[in-house]
Each structure stands twice: as structure tokens, then as C-alpha cells.
Amino acid sequence: MDTEIRPCSSLSIFLLFLLFSSLNIQHCGATDSVSLGQALSANQTIVSKEGNFELGFFTPGNSRNYYIGIWYKTIPVQTVIWVANRATPISNTSSAELKISKDGKLVLLNSSKIPVWSSSSTPSSSNSTVAVLLDNGNLIIRNGSNTTIWQSFDHPTDTVMPGGWLGLNKITGEHQTITSWENPENPAPGPFTESMDPDGANQFVLLWNDSEIYWRSGLWNGQYYPSIPGTTSSTILKFTFINNERRNCAMYTILDSSFITRTVIDSSGLLRQWFWVQSTQEWQTFFTEPLAQCDVYSLCGAFGICDQQSSKICRCSYGFEPASMKEREFNVWSSGCVRKTSLRCGNKSSAGGEGDRFLEMTNMRLPANPQNLTLGSARDCEQFCLNNCSCNAYAYVTGCSIWTGDLRNLEQLYDADSGGGTLYLRLAASDFPGSTSSHKLVISLSVIGGILGILCVLVGVIWAFQRRTRIWMAKQVESNLIRFTYGDLQHVTKNFSERLGTGGFGSVFKGTLIDSTEVAVKKLEGLRQGEKQFRTEVRTLAVIQHVNVVRLRGFCSKGSKRLLVYEYMSGGSLDSHLFRNNSTVLDWKMRYQIILGIARGLAYLHEKCRECIIHCDVKPDNVLLDRDFRAKVADFGMAKLIGRDFSTVLTTMRGTVGYLAPEWISGLPITSKVDVYSFGMMLFELISGKRNTAESADGSKIFYPYLAATKVIEGDIFSLLDNRLNGAADIEEVTRVCRVACWCIQESEAHRPTMGQVVQILEGVLEVRMPPLPRALQLLMQDQSQSCDRLSSNECKDPLDQSLAVSVKL
Ligand SMILES: *[C@@H]1O[C@H](CO)[C@@H](O)[C@H](O)[C@H]1NC(C)=O
Ligand SMILES: *[C@@H]1O[C@H](CO)[C@@H](O)[C@H](O)[C@H]1NC(C)=O
Ligand SMILES: *[C@@H]1O[C@H](CO)[C@@H](O)[C@H](O)[C@H]1NC(C)=O
Ligand SMILES: *[C@@H]1O[C@H](CO)[C@@H](O)[C@H](O)[C@H]1NC(C)=O
Ligand SMILES: *[C@@H]1O[C@H](CO)[C@@H](O)[C@H](O)[C@H]1NC(C)=O
Ligand SMILES: *[C@@H]1O[C@H](CO)[C@@H](O)[C@H](O)[C@H]1NC(C)=O
Ligand SMILES: *[C@@H]1O[C@H](CO)[C@@H](O)[C@H](O)[C@H]1NC(C)=O
Ligand SMILES: *[C@@H]1O[C@H](CO)[C@@H](O)[C@H](O)[C@H]1NC(C)=O
Ligand SMILES: *[C@@H]1O[C@H](CO)[C@@H](O)[C@H](O)[C@H]1NC(C)=O
Ligand SMILES: *[C@@H]1O[C@H](CO)[C@@H](O)[C@H](O)[C@H]1NC(C)=O
């Protein structure tokens, strides 16, 4: 029996005491305990001695159920950290009560006086057993000899408090874990759990249904868990691992007692460290794991598809519908999707003689745990699956794999090389579009659709004929590069009437193709390349396809005219969102997604496509946003198109200079690291929401990256953040981005990370060390302070020119 139950370390518990004792809160008549003979009814609560926590009945959200819980008394937003009867709610509190039973247990009786929950404490016959709520949020039961015989910290629900713990109690043999609420209105255990590694390794893990591990903290190395961000350098939290004769456990302590913080596994499977921000009166996340939400196993439930790129992260497979709409309102998807039409299962006598068919789903993360069969061909594999009623899908990658039962953990992938495959999902044939077995309505609809279709085709053909353009024909070759005539483009852009912008290489106009696809048409200027070479280059660019890269749709090359036709991005360019006062402020979450998108796009250009492409002109003006604010890199491949004159154009171009790596000026060879440098410079602008060069109050120009780099090194990250965000940002993410930015703008290209590494850092896969202060910036600042005396103030004002000058000297 666990006679001397204490948390692994009692160090932190008392920090809260210290903090709150100074607040001097008065509680008239409130008590902190329930003793034998007393009962807590629905209209009563107990409050810890210093007033930090309160215990009583509560109903979560709009639920009609009652639970016994503990919440912060000092925080206006009711935040429940522990629930007693999480799976056995009470529907009527009229005479429900919480009391100490005769055998010394804490019990909850419903209105029929039937116990619905009791503490699992050892029976104690003492008549002075008492349950006390402590100021760290721990509810303890003490027996007559003042020994703690039970505590809520040993039986957490979904929250680990500072001083609480997670792991194996060697004395009782119990495994302490936390399990998500089913949804924000129902504390019943959901599918996600945080526990110490079931295999006994010194790490903790996140699991789905106690079986599938989807995230690991990394092995305790004596100082930190490698995968928990911030644990190496945080001055606020310290994670520890303890293995002694009583416990094998993970816990954390707060080093700065002014922080109110908690670790929660939430209903969507994410482990979050929250902290309370006094100034804004709201909870903010310190870190979230796993970083990619789609890594949460079975996040979207059975037959749900996770899509990291979509604003709605979960959707149902074709032919399926959500099992619970209510759940979706809470952004919880565990109940997954159900078939709209049940499978025929080879029952050909029904529904016009059609059985089941397979829907091809390309580029999917295949579900776990397939049954592998030794069948020679995809055809055999399909037939085998069709013949077995419980087979729901098959794939033929290296061999035949089939899946029976629910398909889980599906994810829509985008990169061709991210390990996806084609999944064939079994559906009732009548669910297929254009199925012959459909009902009359569908038939009549398709007849109408057909007629309309024919009409459209006719109109289209006539139109195309009249215009004598090749647009229509070109559209037929979907996904191929369309070759336009100049006349086509004049027509498409209404004679170049709607200008979207003007860049270094020409102006961009909006246009509409005949099928009403919107496009952006770029008229290139200053090109000296021959037509043949231009076409060759354009063709190589057309092969480049990635969600974070603007797609080239077509081109025109006639005489001296060179035009490129791109997909149209309705969100406009990043600079218009960042720097214009009248635009809505991009929140931090969006910025982080944008940063990650740009990084992925550039990494693709550098590393993933057949021919490595250096963008050479990375800046906010060349990042476009689509309707959902997804970032796409634009204007890539200009160096190839422009040819030898490119660097001259670039270095003389206004507005680009602040993003240029020192190599451009020093004459060193240009590698993909120049893009890394520009990307780093751009990150500072994304963080601050300001151009890197700004006028300071006294009219002199200040160069923000230097200030920023200094602040990053001093650890004063939040002061860098765009004022308009009002501090609403994930510190961990801001820290990560600041550090990456600092590494990216190092003078020596060898010190800069590759874009692939940047992506990994931003995804939280790689750790990022504290960066050194970029040397040129350092020199620049010294130079400036010295040279200011010598030079006229005019010459001293633009540190940009100096930073370049300094670089040349290096
Ligand atoms: C609480 O409710 C009980 C009955 O449910 C009643 O007897 C008691 O007076 C109430 N106490 C307060 C403080 O309202
Ligand atoms: C709760 O129970 C009491 C007595 O058992 C009853 O009078 C009351 O109507 C019930 N309330 C609800 C909401 O069912
Ligand atoms: C009290 O709990 C028992 C056992 O769960 C149940 O049978 C009974 O209906 C409950 N009474 C009320 C009023 O909910
Ligand atoms: C507790 O029990 C002891 C005997 O078991 C008795 O003498 C004492 O009076 C009781 N105290 C109270 C407060 O009921
Ligand atoms: C309290 O619990 C401890 C440990 O279980 C036990 O040694 C002690 O006798 C208990 N005291 C009473 C009064 O039951
Ligand atoms: C019981 O123990 C607590 C701390 O463990 C102590 O503060 C308190 O004074 C003790 N009470 C009695 C009656 O011994
Ligand atoms: C969860 O795990 C249990 C036991 O391992 C298993 O019986 C059950 O089928 C699993 N649930 C699902 C939805 O797979
Ligand atoms: C096959 O379909 C027919 C008609 O819908 C139905 O009557 C029959 O029960 C089905 N047989 C099986 C095995 O499902
Ligand atoms: C089935 O095949 C997949 C990949 O082809 C492999 O990862 C998996 O381990 C195999 N499963 C079994 C049970 O052999
Ligand atoms: C269908 O496949 C499952 C799993 O491989 C197997 O257990 C079952 O016996 C098969 N049923 C038929 C009718 O072949």
C-alpha cells in the first residue's frame, strides 16, 4: 500500500502558495475541506486555503450533466483541471451530495442516494478522515493519523498540474495516465492518452486507443526530453524524469512562480502546455505536440481523411458522411464517417445488378496494419477484396495489401515523394457518379446535366471558332502547358486593362480564360533570350508543381514579346497583407502557416524537383496567397529566363536590396543559400509586420534585423512581435521562427541551414540552437557608431548600404 504518497518532487507545489499568499483573498465562510458527517450539496463548493482552487458541482458548456470538478478560483474563465465522476454524470442534483463514507472514502451519491463515484482510497475506520483541497489544485484525503491516503494528483483526468506526475506507481502498481475528454462538453474518456512509454523506456508518449503511439517525447537524456520544445532553455518550465523506489515518472515544475500553467491532452489528441496571460485574461499555448495535426492517429476517425492543407482539417471519404454533426461543432472528429449506402457485397440481385466498385484515391497516407497477401497482380488484389465482404479497401504498391474493418489514419498527401500511395476504397456502385443503377431523380438530373453540357460545348465551340483562338483547344490538354497567341492574351486580359502589380521583370495583369478560370498574365521586360531558349526554359518551369508554388499555366512568345500565364491568387501578395494599414491583420497562426508554406515551397524548388531551382528573389512581394491564405511562392525561375543580366537587374532593383545575400555583391558563387538568406530577412518582417528598414522616431533609418537578432539572443522574443497581434502568439513558435531567421541571415552560407532543415525546424522535427549574432550586422552597428562622427549624417542614415559594404569587405 502506498502509505506515504507524495509527488515526485514537492519543490514546485509551494511556489504557488508563495504567489497567492500575497494576494490576500478573503473568503467569508468558505471552507477547504469535507469531513466525516459533512456533505457537499449542489449549491456548495469548497475553496482551497489561499483561494486558488475551488471544488464543487459543475456542468461543462451546454451540457445538462453535472460533475464534481476542481477549477481555478482566480481565473474568470472556468477551467476545470480534474473531474471525479467523468464517466458517470449526474442528471439531477436535487439531493445529490459528495461526502466521506464511514469507511473513509470520498463518495458521490446521486439523487437516489446511490453511489456513482468513489475514491479508490484504502478503507479507513477513523472518524476524523477529511478531504482537503490544497492550493496547488490537489484534493487529498487524510486519515485520523494525518496520513494522506488518497490524492487527486494520483488520479488525473486530462490535466497534469505542476507538481503532478505521470508514470508508474511502483507501490500500488498503478499506471498514472491522462486521457482526453470526449469533447469539450463531455469529460468522459476520449480516445487519446498521454502515458509513460508502455515498453518501459524513459520517455512519454501519446497514444490512440491505448494501442497506436503517435508521438514520443524522446528518451530522457538526463537533462531534457529531446522532442519537447523549450525544455532545454526555458526559464519557466522544467521537465524532469524520476526513477526511485516509489515511482518511475515524468513531471514538471514551474521555475517562475508567477506563471499559471497546465498540461492538457485535448479532445483532438494534441498535448498542449497552456499558460495564463494576466494582461489579456486568456489562456495561451506554450507548445503543442504533435506539430502537424494530421500526425494525431485517427484524428478524423473511421473513413475520415486528414488534410493539413485544408482549412477544415478533416473530411469524409467520398461516399461517406459524418457520423456526428454535433462533434464537428467542437472541432472533434473521433466518431468519423459512415457510409451513405451500405455495400452490396456481391448481392447482384439488388439494384440493377451492380455490386461494389472501387474508388481510386491517389497520394494517400495508407492506413496502418494492412493484411499483406501474396497475389501476383493488382487485378487479383482487387478481385480478392471484392470477393470478401469484410474487405473495405486495397492497395497494390510493392504487393497486395487489403484492409478489413474501419479505415483509420488516412491523410491526403501532396508531395509525390512523401511516401503516399494509391488506395482503392470500396463503395456501393450506386454511389459512383454516373452510375446506371441510380434512381430516376439522378437519371433525370444527369439528362438535364447532359443537355446543358452539350449546350455548353456547342456555345464553347462556336465561341472558339469565332475568336479563332487556340484557347479552347489548349484547355483540352489539362495539366499541360498552354501556348497562347498574343491575341489570345489580349482578349483574356481585356487588352491588359486590369493591372495587378508591377515587379522588377514586368507588369502583371488579371485575365479570365474561356472556362472562366482566372489567371495572372505577366508581361516580361528586359529579356534578351531567343525564342527557342525561352520555350525550353518555360517547359522546365511547367513541370514544377507543388501546393506552395504558383503554377505556370501557359506562355506566349512572339517576336520580342514574352508573356507568362499563371494561376490567379485571389489573396494577393504577402506584402499587401503585412504592410498596408487598411488590410486585416494576419494572426500568428496564419503567419506560421504562411512561413511553413513558403519554406516548403522553397525546399521543393531547391531539393525536390528534377532540376534544382534557385529563386534568387525571395521577398514578401513574391509570395502570393490563395483564397484560404495558403502561401505560394511566385516568380521562380526568373534567373533562368532572364539569363546573364539577371544579377544586374536584381542588384539595381529598388526594394530588393534588403533581401540580398552578401554573395550577390562579393561575387562569390550563387547557391540556394541566397534564398535562405532572403527567407530569413523576410521572416523578421513576418514577425514584426514592418519592413526591415523603417524610419525611427527621430527620422533616422533603423535596420530591424539587427535589433531583432540582439533580442533573440537576449531571449526577449515577445518584444519583437507585431504590436497589432497584442501578444497573441505561441511563444514557442515565435522563438523557433526568430532563431531560424537569425540562422538564415548568417554571412557565411555554410552557417545557414538548408530550406529542408528550415522546414524540419518549423515542423518541430529538428531542434534549433541559439544562433550567434550575424557578424555583418555586428560590424555594421560598430561601424555606424564610429563612422557617425566622421561622416556626414546623410551618409550614415542608410545602414543597408553599409551592410552591403561591410559584406564586401569580409
Ligand atoms: C443548499 O441546498 C439545500 C437543499 O438542496 C438547502 O437545504 C440549503 O439551504 C441550500 N444552501 C444554500 C446556502 O443555499
Ligand atoms: C430532480 O429530482 C427532484 C426530486 O427527485 C424532482 O422534484 C425534480 O423535478 C427533478 N428535476 C429534474 C430537472 O428532473
Ligand atoms: C442513481 O444511480 C443509479 C445507478 O447508476 C441509477 O440506477 C439511478 O437511476 C440514479 N438515480 C437518478 C435519480 O439519477
Ligand atoms: C471518534 O471515535 C472515537 C472512538 O472510536 C470516539 O471516542 C470519539 O468521540 C469520536 N470522535 C468524534 C468527533 O466523533
Ligand atoms: C492512517 O494510515 C496509515 C497508513 O495507511 C496507517 O498507518 C494509520 O494507522 C492510519 N491511521 C488511522 C487512524 O487509521
Ligand atoms: C497534518 O499534516 C499537515 C502537513 O502534513 C500539518 O500541516 C498539520 O498541522 C497536521 N495536522 C495535525 C493535526 O497534525
Ligand atoms: C481499441 O482497442 C481495443 C482493445 O485493444 C479493441 O478491442 C478495440 O477494437 C479498439 N477500438 C477500435 C475503434 O479500434
Ligand atoms: C440481396 O438484395 C436483395 C434485394 O435488395 C435482398 O432481398 C436480399 O436480402 C439481399 N441478400 C443479401 C445476402 O444481402
Ligand atoms: C505489409 O506490407 C507493408 C508494406 O508493404 C509493411 O510495412 C508491413 O510491415 C507488412 N505487414 C505485415 C504484417 O507483414
Ligand atoms: C474475409 O477476410 C477476413 C480477413 O482476412 C477473413 O477472416 C474472412 O474469413 C474472409 N471471409 C471470406 C468469406 O473469405
Side-chain angles (χ1 to χ4, degrees), residues 531-702:
E531 198 163 333
K532 202 168 161 198
Q533 198 189 350
F534 177 74
R535 265 191 232 168
T536 319
E537 294 298 355
V538 164
R539 278 186 212 290
T540 62
L541 295 185
V543 182
I544 293 167
Q545 287 182 28
H546 185 268
V547 271
N548 296 116
V549 173
V550 175
R551 177 140 170 241
L552 184 64
R553 302 295 305 268
F555 71 100
C556 162
S557 168
K558 187 80 183 63
S560 62
K561 296 192 173 74
R562 303 275 185 274
L563 296 98
L564 295 174
V565 181
Y566 292 100
E567 60 176 326
Y568 175 70
M569 293 288 120
S570 56
S573 65
L574 181 57
D575 65 318
S576 68
H577 288 277
L578 275 183
F579 310 128
R580 276 184 214 152
N581 287 334
N582 53 6
S583 62
T584 50
V585 177
L586 295 173
D587 66 29
W588 175 256
K589 202 168 159 238
M590 232 173 223
R591 288 185 206 204
Y592 200 77
Q593 281 315 310
I594 290 172
I595 290 169
L596 198 52
I598 303 168
R600 285 185 178 138
L602 288 175
Y604 171 80
L605 290 177
H606 289 176
E607 295 159 23
K608 304 276 178 70
C609 36
R610 237 167 284 163
E611 257 182 278
C612 167
I613 290 186
I614 307 174
H615 189 292
C616 295
D617 195 14
V618 176
K619 53 183 179 180
D621 320 57
N622 281 340
V623 172
L624 300 181
L625 303 176
D626 70 4
R627 211 179 43 230
D628 304 324
F629 283 86
R630 199 157 32 186
K632 299 200 185 212
V633 177
D635 251 14
F636 54 90
M638 281 303 141
K640 283 180 169 245
L641 290 176
I642 308 282
R644 252 184 317 126
D645 295 334
F646 181 76
S647 66
T648 328
V649 176
L650 206 59
T651 44
T652 53
M653 211 151 68
R654 271 192 73 77
T656 290
V657 104
Y659 306 95
L660 288 184
E663 298 96 282
W664 285 110
I665 291 95
S666 62
L668 287 170
I670 301 300
T671 68
S672 57
K673 293 289 181 71
V674 299
D675 286 351
V676 176
Y677 184 93
S678 313
F679 176 77
M681 284 298 180
M682 185 167 70
L683 287 187
F684 285 117
E685 299 188 325
L686 268 151
I687 298 163
S688 69
K690 288 193 280 280
R691 291 271 186 201
N692 278 341
T693 343
E695 297 265 325
S696 77
D698 62 1
S700 67
K701 278 189 181 161
I702 52 169

Side-chain angles (χ1 to χ4, degrees), residues 370 372 398 401:
N372 295 342
T398 49
S401 301

Side-chain angles (χ1 to χ4, degrees), residues 28-60:
C28 309
T31 163
D32 68 347
S33 59
V34 179
S35 39
L36 196 66
Q38 286 179 328
L40 196 69
S41 61
N43 53 9
Q44 294 169 319
T45 60
I46 60 172
V47 174
S48 65
K49 211 175 222 156
E50 301 295 339
N52 298 346
F53 289 94
E54 187 165 27
L55 176 146
F57 287 86
F58 77 100
T59 49

Side-chain angles (χ1 to χ4, degrees), residues 712-727:
V712 170
I713 288 154
E714 286 167 358
D716 182 15
I717 300 278
F718 254 102
S719 65
L720 298 175
L721 207 57
D722 193 341
N723 293 335
R724 293 174 295 177
L725 293 177
N726 295 320

